[in-house]
Amino acid sequence: MSKIIRLTETVLRDGQQSQIATRMSTEDMLPILETLDQAGFHALEVWGGATFDSCIRFLNEDPWERLRQIRAAVKDTKLQMLLRGQNLLGYRNYADDVVRLFVEKSVQNGIDIIRVFDALNDVRNMKTSIEATKLAGGHCQTAISYTTSPVHTVDYYVDLVGRMAEFGADSICIKDMAGVLTPQTGYELVSRIKEKTDLPLEVHTHATSGISEMTYLKVAEAGADIIDTCLSSFSGGTSQPATESMVLSLEELGFNTGVDMKKVEEATAHFNGIRDKFRAEGILNPKVKDTEPKTLIYQVPGGMLSNLLSQLTEQGLADKYDEVLAEVPKVRADLGYPPLVTPLSQMVGTQAVMNVISGERFKLVPKEIKDYVLGLYGQAPAEINPEVKEKIIGDAEVVTVRPADLIEDQLPEIREEIKEYAKSDEDVLMYALFPQQAKDFLGRREDPFYDVPLQTVDVTLDLQ
């Protein structure tokens, strides 16, 4: 009997987010959705991450309407989204009432699977999302934010999976956002998790460092149930390994993927045209296709590498790039080894830049880093360097409760603020997550005299 492994296709979310800053429009997607639905994938990742923000900030689209249109076209395949736990799709913690309503409306509008992660792997920050997903009738997949450090061992992750299962996870994902999960460690980690729990296990990685295909073959051998891949049009580099290549390799090794390659080829032909359009417009930077082995050394996601270089170049300090790159792991160690995933990746990168530019470590400290050290983002994976801690917050008391317990309900105030333009709960939630962008979007929709131009200047790429 052949072994079974399923594939989740990421071209509509992580693939395009990793390579074209999430600029793919709904119009680009609609003609090929029926084909993708018939291709035999376990799920299509279509929403969450940076898609919501990009829709209203750059594309003048309603992200909820995008989801509804995709759901109308995709009849049989599960639709999946990425959610940052208590951060939802933003960069800070929201009150539980906002989280519950957002999850409820996501499922009502078409999402089947919600992949929930927390940047610190603090399961307390995932609790409300897990409960809300199950209450709404969705499937909650909790994700490990995978990284390496003296504390991030295989034992650490196996214990983490146990806690996720206790919190009510329906499945588990190893989310390797930087592409640093090596083949042998992947094999050991999957084997140990499969011994720990009978929950379905999915593996997500990026091709940045050049080892992703080898890692996928080893995790398949170890018993992973699902892997994430991307159509070759937007695969490789900072994205996932190519769907076509992985299907052919796995099938030859005796795995049954259930993927219809004729449908995949049809979909790839469509997205090749989309890719070429973005390349001609200069949005697809060839560097996102590059292999960057330094990722394995510095544990820095590929998107973060390019952002650091861009940030320094704009300030005329491109010559400081290597110095900043070397500073990143030092900052990360001082701060208790947080995984470099949104929003911690941006925070650690900014602190490294400040340390180098100021000439003194932690002389300048952003508010977000102070809040992190105070415990307002959750519990750090390891102890924060006591000297650094004192330098940043002095003798201030560190929060030990679940951070969201300190946030009162926010929906009543939010509804009042946006009542002039919001016509639905979905509109209210849009404003809750991105107040200024949503107000401008809703204002343009509701008021012909509301004259605010669309944003055209790029923002820092969202790494996940």
Side-chain angles (χ1 to χ4, degrees), residues 132-168:
T133 300
K134 296 171 76 71
L135 184 63
H139 174 111
C140 186
Q141 180 180 88
T142 57
I144 294 166
S145 292
Y146 181 81
T147 188
T148 60
S149 79
V151 298
H152 290 97
T153 62
V154 170
D155 286 342
Y156 167 91
Y157 289 120
V158 172
D159 178 68
L160 178 60
V161 166
R163 282 182 280 137
M164 288 176 170
E166 291 174 0
F167 271 65

Side-chain angles (χ1 to χ4, degrees), residues 420-423 439-452:
E420 181 179 0
Y421 299 123
K423 303 300 181 185
K439 182 180 180 182
D440 292 343
F441 174 83
L442 296 171
R444 287 191 298 267
R445 186 191 70 182
E446 299 297 327
D447 182 356
F449 299 103
Y450 192 103
D451 185 21
V452 175

Side-chain angles (χ1 to χ4, degrees), residues 1-13:
M1 290 180 63
S2 63
K3 297 162 283 188
I4 296 174
I5 190 164
R6 304 298 306 281
L7 274 66
T8 291
E9 174 54 53
T10 70
V11 69
L12 299 177
R13 205 287 297 176

Side-chain angles (χ1 to χ4, degrees), residues 154-216:
V154 170
D155 286 342
Y156 167 91
Y157 289 120
V158 172
D159 178 68
L160 178 60
V161 166
R163 282 182 280 137
M164 288 176 170
E166 291 174 0
F167 271 65
D170 294 309
S171 62
I172 303 294
C173 175
I174 301 170
K175 177 179 168 58
D176 174 28
M177 57 279 176
V180 298
L181 178 63
T182 54
Q184 184 57 31
T185 300
Y187 183 90
E188 294 174 6
L189 182 54
V190 169
S191 299
R192 290 280 305 280
I193 291 176
K194 296 300 285 186
E195 291 172 2
K196 176 81 173 183
T197 178
D198 59 0
L199 292 176
L201 177 61
E202 187 158 356
V203 181
H204 170 98
T205 192
H206 289 248
T208 317
S209 65
I211 62 172
S212 55
E213 290 87 354
M214 290 185 286
T215 297
Y216 271 168

Side-chain angles (χ1 to χ4, degrees), residues 44-48 64 67-68 70-71 77-82 102-115 133 136-139:
L44 299 174
E45 190 190 46
V46 300
W47 215 57
W64 295 101
L67 176 56
R68 289 189 287 266
I70 294 174
R71 178 76 282 173
T77 309
K78 292 182 175 63
L79 298 183
Q80 180 173 303
M81 72 169 292
L82 181 68
F102 187 89
V103 170
E104 176 188 337
K105 290 301 174 181
S106 297
V107 174
Q108 285 182 5
N109 281 275
I111 290 296
D112 299 296
I113 303 168
I114 299 184
R115 177 180 291 173
T133 300
H139 174 111

